[in-house]
Amino acid sequence: ATSASAAQRLAMVEAAIEGDSRFAASDVDMVRDGATYSVDTVQIFRQHFAGAELWWLMGMDSLLQLHTWKNWRTFARLTHIAVAARAGQSLNHAPPELRDWLGEALQQGSLKIGLGCFEKEGTWVDGVFRLPLAGALGSLKRRCMADAASQC
């Protein structure tokens, strides 16, 4: 499978949020030296946007691997998480290390699971993000992936 570059991923996010002032794209992980970890990124955002309600967008595949991330519990305390469900993946596949946390996070509202999110035009993450992501991201991703040398 072909993977999008950091610049291409940033361009996809910018295209998805264009015109919606509730969102901002950041290149913070692209400009930092050394290894970057999500927990560090969220801590940087917490410092710069102390009063903001932060949401981390990820696919179900990433959620099911969250327990393998550096300082994942700290990460989960610092941000809300919105998850796009993907075909063949569900919370039923969650490893034991995540099960208790998943129940608590869903009950507290700090974790939202959207069905079919990012896959069909007009579907949203449990009503939290009202962006037609598939249209913007899908066409841009196809264009970027087709031309690996593009400046997306």
Side-chain angles (χ1 to χ4, degrees):
T2 306
S3 181
S5 70
Q8 290 169 329
R9 289 175 185 263
L10 180 60
M12 286 186 270
V13 170
E14 289 171 339
I17 65 173
E18 186 176 3
D20 192 328
S21 64
R22 298 173 300 162
F23 299 91
S26 172
D27 65 353
V28 67
D29 285 339
M30 295 169 61
V31 298
R32 288 191 305 174
D33 290 329
T36 59
Y37 297 96
S38 299
V39 67
D40 299 331
T41 302
V42 171
Q43 288 173 330
I44 290 169
F45 289 159
R46 277 275 160 240
Q47 290 172 357
H48 290 283
F49 309 105
E53 181 177 356
L54 300 178
W55 282 86
W56 193 272
L57 301 158
M58 68 172 63
M60 181 65 74
D61 55 333
S62 294
L63 178 67
L64 296 177
Q65 295 296 314
L66 186 62
H67 66 289
T68 67
W69 292 20
K70 178 184 174 187
N71 300 326
W72 74 271
R73 289 184 185 274
T74 300
F75 168 82
R77 274 195 307 275
L78 293 173
T79 187
H80 297 286
I81 300 172
V83 180
R86 296 194 172 148
Q89 298 176 337
S90 74
L91 294 180
N92 294 333
H93 299 112
E97 300 88 346
L98 284 179
R99 288 189 190 138
D100 288 340
W101 173 82
L102 286 169
E104 292 170 15
L106 285 166
Q107 190 172 42
Q108 294 170 356
S110 61
L111 174 67
K112 301 283 186 181
I113 308 291
L115 300 176
C117 298
F118 314 143
E119 295 175 4
K120 295 182 212 163
E121 185 70 40
T123 58
W124 307 321
V125 180
D126 196 26
V128 176
F129 299 107
R130 300 186 183 278
L131 292 173
L133 293 176
L137 292 181
S139 61
L140 183 59
K141 183 175 181 180
R142 283 189 297 277
R143 190 174 70 220
C144 290
M145 301 306 255
D147 180 10
S150 73
Q151 296 297 312
C152 292

